[in-house]
Amino acid sequence: MKTITKIEDYCKEINIPSPIYPFFDIRKFEDNMKTVNARQDSIRHEFYAIALRNSGNNREVHGKFLDSNLFFNSPYQIITWDIKPDWTGWYIIFDREFLGLNPNWQNFIIDFPFFSLDKATPMDLPKEDAEFANDVFQQIFDEYHSNNKDKFLFIQNYTQLLLLITKRYFDRLDHDNEDAQENRTADILLLSRFQSLVETLMTNEDTNSEIRQTSFYAEKLNVHPNHLNAIVKRITGKTATSIIQNQLITFAKSMLLQTDLSAKEIAFRLHFSEPTHFNSFFKRATGTTPRQYRKESIL
């Protein structure tokens, strides 16, 4: 199953225009309906989303038939739908980079545990709360498309309101298996800590080639490497090693395009003992050498 790691790629997958910003997007469903896939095959993505569906006929979404409601998507949920293209309403979608803008979201998964679920949970809203939610989405939309330099400070706070509304209604639901939910929350939290370590330690000068090994991160997280890999695989469909390697390639591409460092210098910054090892690794992952990638990307 395809796992999508960039919001831009998600938009391309479902056949809507690219977002203005790579880490956050807001859309009106009625704008999407012009081009969006009416039937979407199963995919995973790494994002958080909150949506308010005001009206529209549908056949099935996530295995549930819906009325007008608020619902959310969690990272690595299996996403699929079969709809009639007449929805109205809103949704926001954002990634971990957006969460990093707000220090108050350091414990995001603990504060908003519904984002650890592996299934969407539609929640009906009474008229007055639906109107309030619509107003919040409208405020986010207006800020997003404005030229205000502080727009994302406002967007963060409006998003916080939507998160609190979602949590209020989620807390009112009957949760059949709270132990399973708590276990998945713990697993998502471990995954999030693992991803954060990979991102922050990969280029740390005080580390070495161990930075590319699952065991290095497992030790930091006080878990067995097999346990870490099992959790990562179960939630993301990827191995811990592949996530490490993907981040390594992301850093390499960024340095090739945004710095004047030579491939040799980049190799050492990424803790390869020999530049030839880095070149071979990069070519296996991308189909081209670092030098060719830089040359072709600049042209």
Side-chain angles (χ1 to χ4, degrees), residues 95-232:
D95 65 12
R96 294 174 65 247
E97 181 180 351
F98 177 70
L99 295 184
L101 298 177
N102 190 339
N104 294 325
W105 287 335
Q106 288 183 350
N107 298 314
F108 188 77
I109 292 298
I110 295 175
D111 293 338
F112 304 106
F114 51 85
F115 276 128
S116 66
L117 298 182
D118 58 0
K119 293 182 180 179
T121 304
M123 298 169 290
D124 292 334
L125 297 184
K127 181 179 179 181
E128 60 272 19
D129 284 349
E131 290 175 350
F132 177 70
N134 271 292
D135 288 342
V136 176
F137 275 107
Q138 183 68 61
Q139 293 289 346
I140 294 174
F141 185 85
D142 291 344
E143 286 291 341
Y144 188 75
H145 292 279
S146 76
N147 293 321
N148 297 325
K149 294 181 179 179
D150 57 356
K151 68 169 79 177
F152 275 103
L153 290 175
F154 282 81
I155 288 172
Q156 288 171 44
N157 284 282
Y158 290 133
T159 298
Q160 178 76 1
L161 280 175
L162 290 180
L163 291 166
L164 292 172
I165 294 170
T166 305
K167 186 175 186 300
R168 171 177 289 177
Y169 279 89
F170 177 76
D171 287 344
R172 293 177 182 176
L173 298 176
D174 290 328
H175 303 295
D176 295 334
N177 193 339
E178 293 191 359
D179 288 341
Q181 180 185 325
E182 290 178 3
N183 289 338
R184 184 168 172 84
T185 298
D187 290 348
I188 291 285
L189 186 59
L190 178 64
L191 171 65
S192 179
R193 291 170 61 201
F194 166 64
Q195 290 173 317
S196 295
L197 283 176
V198 172
E199 293 171 3
T200 56
L201 298 180
M202 185 70 73
T203 57
N204 192 307
E205 294 181 357
D206 296 329
T207 57
N208 53 40
S209 60
E210 291 181 350
I211 203 74
R212 302 197 300 276
Q213 305 299 320
T214 301
S215 57
F216 173 86
Y217 300 97
E219 183 178 354
K220 295 286 185 184
L221 295 166
N222 295 315
V223 297
H224 193 279
N226 291 346
H227 176 70
L228 176 60
N229 195 62
I231 296 300
V232 172

Side-chain angles (χ1 to χ4, degrees), residues 2-7 10 43-49 73-77 79 93-97 99 191 195 199 235-238 243 246-247:
K2 181 184 293 186
T3 299
I4 298 174
T5 60
K6 296 180 180 179
I7 294 176
Y10 174 72
I43 55 173
R44 282 191 179 102
H45 65 57
E46 297 186 358
F47 320 120
Y48 305 85
N73 293 137
S74 306
Y76 306 108
Q77 277 184 0
I79 306 294
I93 187 168
F94 50 93
D95 65 12
R96 294 174 65 247
E97 181 180 351
L99 295 184
L191 171 65
Q195 290 173 317
E199 293 171 3
I235 297 173
T236 71
K238 302 177 183 178
I243 287 180
N246 289 343
Q247 187 61 53

